[in-house]
Amino acid sequence: MRATPGGTAATIRGELDLASATYVRTTLLRALEECVAGGVVTLDLSQVTFCDSTGLNVLLRARRWALDEHRALIINSASPQMARLLDMTGAAPLFAEKT
């Protein structure tokens, strides 16, 4: 996790599933806490090799937390597996940068 102009950036690697959900949830909450109000938490998921429904739920809840705290949560890079899951579930637009 690192500070960026106007927000925070985080990278998630490996499998995003039941086994990693608590760690990822904690990391995302910390990223949201470190992000200024009105800022953006940017996720790099390009190294995610697997994501199940638990992992997707963590991302969706983190998005809700971000919105509740007047922040945005966007995915700027996703592995082919992650991009496919986001597209198939209709969740991709929820994590897109607003123009």
Side-chain angles (χ1 to χ4, degrees):
M1 191 168 21
R2 62 180 166 53
T4 63
T8 305
T11 300
I12 299 173
R13 296 179 179 90
E15 297 182 354
L16 182 48
D17 57 12
L18 182 61
S20 64
T22 300
Y23 173 76
V24 172
R25 182 181 303 112
T26 301
T27 300
L28 292 177
L29 285 174
R30 194 168 68 237
L32 289 167
E33 289 172 356
E34 291 181 11
C35 184
V36 297
V40 177
V41 174
T42 305
L43 295 179
D44 178 348
L45 305 179
S46 63
Q47 297 177 50
V48 172
T49 57
F50 174 80
C51 182
D52 67 6
S53 60
T54 303
L56 181 59
N57 190 38
V58 168
L59 294 175
L60 291 169
R61 285 180 184 233
R63 178 183 177 271
R64 172 55 42 206
W65 296 323
L67 293 174
D68 289 347
E69 297 297 321
H70 308 289
R71 290 156 178 80
L73 178 67
I74 64 166
I75 297 172
N76 72 342
S77 183
S79 66
Q81 298 88 341
M82 196 67 224
R84 183 170 185 258
L85 175 67
L86 293 169
D87 286 338
M88 286 177 49
T89 60
L94 300 175
F95 296 99
E97 189 168 6
K98 306 295 184 225
T99 56

